[in-house]
Amino acid sequence: MSNRTFTMIKPDAFSNGNSGDILSMIERAGFRIVAMKKTWLSADKAGEFYAVHSARPFYGELVEFMSSGPIVAAILEKDNAVADFRKLIGATDPSKAEEGTIRKLYAESVGKNAVHGSDSDENAAIEGSFFFSGMEQW
Ligand code: CMP
């Protein structure tokens, strides 16, 4: 799975009308969309996805935000996918994100930051299988 990563386009990107532009940036950067689905997470599901952050002070806000509107979940493929995708999206805090990155262009704040990208091959596999099954054969 080292050539794959997992992303979510977050509710702020939909309410701001940026989801299409973001998907287009992802494809233009050379990522192949292996699997993709638009869905709306319940608070329970959002809490489960971000359980690793459950002790953090922002957890409640994160769960509320991620269940406040639709998301797109997708598995992406490219050489060096995890690192290259994190470069494309930029720093978690958009005020620290490099020019030209997705978060610099489209994120509002550290919470409403337009996109998620997995931080390791291991988490990419775990997060992808949260939304999709049988991906090993694709
Ligand atoms: P993401 O890459 O989806 O992974 C965890 C998310 O927690 C992160 O993006 C942010 O949206 C959110 N997050 C991290 N730090 C904060 C914070 N200080 N306040 C609110 N949300 C945060």
Side-chain angles (χ1 to χ4, degrees), residues 6-7 34-38 72-76 125-136 138:
F6 171 79
T7 187
V34 175
M36 180 164 72
K37 113 164 94 177
K38 186 176 183 184
V72 155
I75 293 175
L76 305 174
I126 293 169
E127 292 172 358
S129 57
F130 189 87
F131 287 92
F132 303 99
S133 56
M135 283 299 106
E136 302 75 23
W138 287 46

Side-chain angles (χ1 to χ4, degrees), residues 10 50 53 58 61-62 92 103 110-111 113 116:
K10 298 189 180 185
Y50 280 115
H53 296 304
F58 58 81
E61 186 188 321
L62 176 61
T92 306
R103 284 172 171 158
V110 68
N113 65 354
H116 166 80

